Amino acid sequence: MGEIDEGLERAERTRPIPVQLSARVRFLWEKVAKNDTTALAEAAGISVRTAQRWAKALKEGKAPVMTTANEKKVEQLVRAKWQPRVKQRVRRDAETNGFMLHISGTFGYSAAAGSTDDPRPRTITQKMPGTVAQRLYAARDAGATQAQQEQILADALRDEYFKDGGRRARGLDVELNDISWMDLEGF
C-alpha cells in the first residue's frame, strides 16, 4: 500500500483499526461473520477448521495462533470491513466538496526556456476540488499503482497550485518525484 492509498484510508476512518491480532479476529468474528465459523472461513479465505480454532482461542481469551500469511489476510479484511458507512460518507463528501491536501515531496518541473527544471522539495497545503477525489478513488478502485496515483496528484497540483487555476505559468508541467509525507483532510 502506497502513501496515497494510506492517506485515503486514514481520511476514511474516525477510529484506527485494532492493533492487536486478537482484537482484529474478534472484530471479524463478531461483526463480519456474526459468530459463524463457516462465514468466518469464507470471509478470511481459510478452512473451517482453522476458523474453529480461532473461535476457540477467542472464547478462551487467548490470541489465535496463525501464520504470517493469515495475519495479513486478517489485516486486509479488517481494513476492508472497518467502518463501512463512514467510508461511504467520507468518499461522497470528498467527491462532492473536495478535500485539503497536505503534502511534502520533491517536485520536478519543465517550463519555458530560461527557467530551471531542477527537482525541488516543497511542502504544500492546497484545497483540491472534488474531481481530483473522484479520479483518485477511481484509480484506487481500478488497482492503480502508486506511480499512477502520484501522476494524478501531480496533474492536480499543477493545475490548482502551480498554475493557480490557469491564471499563470501556462507552459508548466509538474512531476511528483518523491513523497516524504502526505495527509488528506476536510472531507
Side-chain angles (χ1 to χ4, degrees), residues 16 20 30 39-40 42 46 53 55 62 65 70-71 88 97 100 112 119-120 133 172 178 184 187:
Q20 295 178 337
E30 293 174 354
L40 179 61
E42 288 176 11
I46 56 174
R53 283 194 297 271
K62 299 177 183 175
V65 177
N70 282 344
E71 285 181 23
Q88 292 169 357
N97 304 324
M100 187 66 71
R120 300 178 205 166
L172 181 71
D178 182 36
L184 305 167
F187 284 42

Side-chain angles (χ1 to χ4, degrees), residues 37 47-58 64-65:
T37 53
S47 70
V48 174
R49 180 64 190 124
T50 301
Q52 291 169 345
R53 283 194 297 271
W54 290 1
K56 181 181 178 192
L58 289 175
V65 177

Side-chain angles (χ1 to χ4, degrees), residues 103-107 109 120-124 176-181:
I103 188 167
S104 178
T106 304
F107 292 85
Y109 310 93
R120 300 178 205 166
R122 285 190 182 254
T123 300
I124 298 172
L176 182 54
N177 297 328
D178 182 36
I179 297 177
S180 299
W181 58 265

Side-chain angles (χ1 to χ4, degrees), residues 11 18 20 22 27 31 42 46 51 59-60 66 77 81 84 114 119 165 176:
Q20 295 178 337
S22 59
F27 167 76
K31 303 295 182 187
E42 288 176 11
I46 56 174
K59 288 177 185 172
E60 294 173 354
M66 65 180 70
L77 187 57
K81 301 291 185 179
L176 182 54

Side-chain angles (χ1 to χ4, degrees), residues 10-27:
R10 277 192 309 269
E12 290 176 335
R13 292 190 308 250
T14 57
R15 291 181 298 140
I17 66 169
V19 176
Q20 295 178 337
L21 181 62
S22 59
R24 290 177 179 177
V25 174
R26 183 168 307 285
F27 167 76

Side-chain angles (χ1 to χ4, degrees), residues 120-177:
R120 300 178 205 166
R122 285 190 182 254
T123 300
I124 298 172
T125 297
Q126 177 67 35
K127 173 82 166 121
M128 303 303 278
T131 56
V132 176
Q134 291 169 1
R135 290 175 51 207
L136 283 174
Y137 277 115
R140 184 179 76 171
D141 293 346
T145 64
Q146 175 74 10
Q148 292 168 325
Q149 293 176 349
E150 285 177 2
Q151 186 59 47
I152 292 170
L153 273 183
D155 292 344
L157 284 168
R158 177 195 64 213
D159 296 339
E160 296 298 319
Y161 180 78
F162 293 103
K163 288 188 171 186
D164 194 21
R167 289 187 279 277
R168 61 187 165 122
R170 294 211 183 328
L172 181 71
D173 194 24
V174 176
E175 182 179 307
L176 182 54
N177 297 328

Side-chain angles (χ1 to χ4, degrees), residues 7 34 41 66-68 121 160:
K34 308 286 188 214
M66 65 180 70
T67 64
T68 305
E160 296 298 319

